[in-house]
């Protein structure tokens, strides 16, 4: 079903970016609503899968906790086994002692009652024959009766304890087997959902890439149209200038005594045609700090919370803040696996490490030098968006907020708030603060 859904969604946009982009009456490119609807639908499916994975993860954790509890009960039972086994051994010794007493009494009884006494069966060490010995109790001494009764009572206790121990062991083993099966099923379902989510994210990336390519081609077409219009306008101006020059020369010829030469009269009306200048992306607007807004080209930028760093969503290229060197591009502990970390080499935060993580297609490599005009990667408007902030530089995917113990799952941290202030100073929108920032910054940390 997943593959069929992806295929139909891709066919819905025609498989070609050129078919989904038009130019509005204002001259700016617009994305066809059908593509936007397809992307939105797939984002909703990705969100549903993410929620399903979270629910399955809770189920697996619950089963694991139950499994651990049962294992604890089994360990207690094993301790109880040792106690029961010691009790059983003690009762066996008691049985042996009681049996000896019965044998001694039986010998005495035999001397009195003769060879046909059924108490002799006890001498054969046959516990089931103790009932036969009861028939001769009336002829036995009180010591014989007490010995036989005690023997039977201890034997019954021993049988009961051994039976209960085996029942407990069987019950716990069955429960462990059931929990193992449930955990395996939940983990399998979780893995399947994760695979589906990976497929959905991949399709979203492809569709957004097609959208960006189509928008770029539309912009190029718009630039070409502007160039043609500029050339036509220049040609019209040149023709008008030539006509004006001709008229001036004619008037000068008719005015012999004016004292002004035709060349002097026409010298201010002969503009030279200039070739139109191609429109190119403007360089980054660098602030006095030496840094630039890394989100300046993100389309449909959506501002989200401040936590370890600052969360955003949208689509388009994300740039480096300043000059630096790339330390890492991947960490499996982050959604999507992307964790671009680069150490700044200029400005007030030189030596500190910046990260951009989650739904980003990487365009840089480890060891590469970057500037504010370097595209680190392309945000593809996935289910998780992006998070950017201060990293601890360990190349292990850790943030400064986490290393300093400031982050507890969703709270605004001092490091995240500081980075939000930096972005705001560069012209980007700051994030949404959840609480009074948790923790504090190290001494000498730059302020913005």
């Amino acid at each position: 079903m997943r593959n069929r859904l992806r295929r139909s969604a891709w066919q819905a946009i025609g498989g070609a970016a050129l078919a989904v982009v038009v130019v509005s009456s204002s001259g700016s490119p617009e994305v066809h609503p059908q593509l936007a609807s397809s992307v939105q639908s797939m984002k909703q499916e990705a969100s549903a899968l993410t929620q399903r994975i979270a629910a399955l993860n809770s189920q697996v954790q619950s089963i694991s906790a139950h499994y651990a509890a049962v294992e604890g009960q089994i360990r207690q039972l094993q301790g109880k086994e040792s106690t029961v086994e010691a009790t059983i051994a003690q009762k066996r010794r008691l049985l042996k002692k009681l049996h000896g007493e019965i044998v001694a009494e039986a010998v005495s009884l035999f001397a009195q009652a003769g060879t046909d006494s059924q108490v002799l069966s006890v001498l054969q060490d046959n516990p089931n024959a103790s009932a036969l010995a009861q028939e001769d109790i009336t002829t036995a001494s009180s010591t014989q009766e007490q010995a036989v009764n005690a023997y039977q009572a201890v034997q019954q206790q021993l049988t009961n304890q051994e039976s209960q121990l085996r029942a407990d062991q069987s019950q716990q083993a069955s429960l462990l087997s059931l929990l193992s099966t449930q955990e395996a099923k939940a983990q399998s379902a979780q893995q399947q959902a994760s695979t589906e989510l990976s497929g959905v994210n991949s399709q979203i990336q492809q569709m957004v890439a097609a959208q960006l390519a189509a928008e770029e081609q539309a912009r190029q077409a718009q630039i070409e149209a502007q160039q043609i219009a500029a050339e036509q306008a220049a040609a019209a101006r040149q023709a008008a200038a030539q006509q004006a020059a001709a008229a001036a020369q004619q008037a000068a010829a008719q005015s012999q005594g004016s004292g002004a030469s035709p060349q002097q009269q026409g010298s201010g009306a002969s503009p030279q045609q200039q070739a139109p200048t191609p429109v190119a992306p403007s360089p980054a607007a660098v602030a006095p700090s030496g840094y630039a807004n890394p989100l300046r080209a993100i389309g449909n930028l959506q501002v989200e919370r401040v936590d370890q760093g600052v969360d955003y969503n949208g689509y388009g290229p994300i740039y480096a803040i300043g000059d630096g060197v790339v330390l890492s591009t991947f960490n499996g502990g982050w959604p999507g696996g992307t964790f671009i970390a680069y150490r700044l080499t200029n400005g007030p935060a030189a030596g500190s490490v910046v990260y951009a993580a989650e739904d980003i297609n990487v365009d840089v490599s480890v060891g590469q030098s970057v500037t504010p005009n370097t595209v680190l990667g392309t945000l593809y408007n996935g289910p998780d968006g992006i998070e950017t902030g201060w990293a601890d530089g360990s190349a292990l995917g850790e943030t400064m907020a986490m290393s300093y113990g400031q982050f507890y799952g969703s709270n605004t941290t001092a490091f995240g708030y500081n980075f939000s202030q930096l972005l705001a100073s560069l012209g980007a929108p700051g994030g949404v603060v959840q609480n009074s920032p948790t923790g504090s910054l190290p001494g000498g940390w730059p302020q913005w």
Side-chain angles (χ1 to χ4, degrees):
M1 182 180 71
R2 183 178 73 255
N3 292 336
R4 185 161 59 250
L5 174 63
R6 298 285 76 71
R7 186 162 50 252
S8 63
W10 188 247
Q11 290 171 348
I13 65 171
L18 297 180
V20 298
V21 176
V22 297
V23 178
S24 68
S25 58
S26 63
S28 60
E30 294 181 347
V31 181
H32 195 284
Q34 194 172 22
L35 175 59
S37 176
S38 297
V39 172
Q40 183 62 30
S41 175
M42 295 177 73
K43 285 179 63 180
Q44 291 173 353
E45 182 177 352
S47 178
L49 283 170
T50 300
Q51 293 176 4
R52 181 182 169 196
I53 290 171
L56 287 169
N57 184 55
S58 297
Q59 183 180 351
V60 169
Q61 290 178 352
S62 176
I63 293 173
S64 297
H66 193 183
Y67 192 96
V70 172
E71 285 186 323
Q73 293 174 1
I74 288 178
R75 285 191 293 270
Q76 292 178 358
L77 182 60
Q78 289 172 342
K80 181 181 175 182
E81 275 184 43
S82 300
T83 302
V84 172
E85 287 173 353
T87 302
I88 290 173
Q90 182 181 7
K91 291 190 180 298
R92 290 190 185 279
R93 289 193 295 271
L94 181 57
L95 281 176
K96 184 176 181 180
K97 177 183 177 184
L98 291 173
H99 186 267
E101 292 176 357
I102 293 173
V103 170
E105 191 65 24
V107 170
S108 175
L109 183 62
F110 170 70
Q112 300 174 20
T115 58
D116 59 345
S117 173
Q118 294 178 340
V119 176
L120 290 177
S121 60
V122 179
L123 295 172
Q124 301 170 359
D125 198 16
N126 181 2
N128 294 328
S130 60
L132 299 176
Q134 190 67 30
E135 296 179 5
D136 287 337
I137 288 299
T138 55
T139 62
S141 67
S142 60
T143 302
Q144 175 68 28
E145 181 180 1
Q146 292 173 1
V148 171
N149 289 339
Y151 183 91
Q152 291 175 329
V154 172
Q155 186 180 49
Q156 185 60 47
Q157 290 176 3
L158 180 61
T159 300
N160 292 343
Q161 287 177 333
E162 289 179 330
S163 176
Q164 184 62 45
L165 185 60
R166 285 193 296 271
D168 288 344
Q169 291 172 333
S170 176
Q171 180 183 8
Q172 297 298 333
S174 297
L175 183 55
L176 277 182
S177 176
L178 175 61
L179 289 172
S180 249
T181 301
Q182 291 177 347
E183 185 177 33
K185 287 181 179 179
Q187 288 175 340
S188 176
Q190 187 181 36
Q191 181 61 41
Q192 182 179 359
S194 296
T195 302
E196 291 181 10
L197 178 60
S198 177
V200 171
N201 283 340
S202 176
Q203 291 296 331
I204 290 175
Q205 293 179 32
Q206 294 179 29
M207 295 175 72
V208 171
Q211 177 179 333
L212 292 173
E215 290 178 349
E216 178 62 25
Q217 184 152 353
R219 282 193 290 270
Q220 292 299 326
Q222 182 180 355
I223 291 171
E224 291 177 2
Q226 291 173 345
Q227 290 176 342
I228 292 173
E231 290 173 356
Q232 291 175 346
R237 287 195 299 271
Q238 184 179 23
Q242 289 174 348
Q243 290 176 359
Q249 289 176 354
Q250 184 178 1
Q254 293 175 355
S255 303
Q256 296 293 333
S258 64
S261 68
Q263 290 80 6
Q264 290 173 332
Q265 293 180 354
S267 61
S270 301
Q272 295 182 353
Q273 182 180 3
Q274 296 181 352
T277 302
V279 178
S282 59
V286 179
S289 62
Y291 303 142
N293 177 10
L295 309 176
R296 59 186 179 272
I298 299 296
N300 190 30
L301 182 64
Q302 302 167 36
V303 181
E304 298 178 358
R305 73 186 184 190
V306 178
D307 45 33
Q308 300 182 84
V310 191
D311 295 341
Y312 297 94
N313 212 330
Y315 57 87
I318 179 171
Y319 291 84
I321 281 181
D323 296 343
V325 178
V326 178
L327 303 180
S328 69
T329 59
F330 175 82
N331 184 279
W334 287 78
T338 297
F339 188 83
I340 304 171
Y342 57 99
R343 189 181 302 279
L344 294 172
T345 56
N346 73 319
S352 298
V353 178
V354 178
Y355 73 91
E358 301 182 0
D359 294 340
I360 303 173
N361 287 326
V362 179
D363 290 331
V364 292
S365 57
V366 174
Q368 178 179 338
S369 295
V370 296
T371 72
N373 289 312
T374 301
V375 175
L376 300 175
T378 302
L379 171 60
Y380 55 81
N381 203 11
D384 298 295
I386 63 166
E387 179 174 308
T388 181
W390 298 115
D392 70 355
S394 66
L396 297 177
E398 288 290 352
T399 65
M400 289 293 287
M402 184 65 76
S403 293
Y404 274 71
Q406 298 179 358
F407 186 60
Y408 306 113
S410 62
N411 59 299
T412 295
T413 65
F415 282 103
Y417 182 63
N418 177 266
F419 199 83
S420 177
Q421 291 179 308
L422 169 59
L423 291 175
S425 73
L426 300 176
V432 179
V433 176
Q434 308 295 304
N435 52 271
S436 179
T438 304
S440 59
L441 300 172
W445 194 267
Q447 302 292 327
W448 316 99

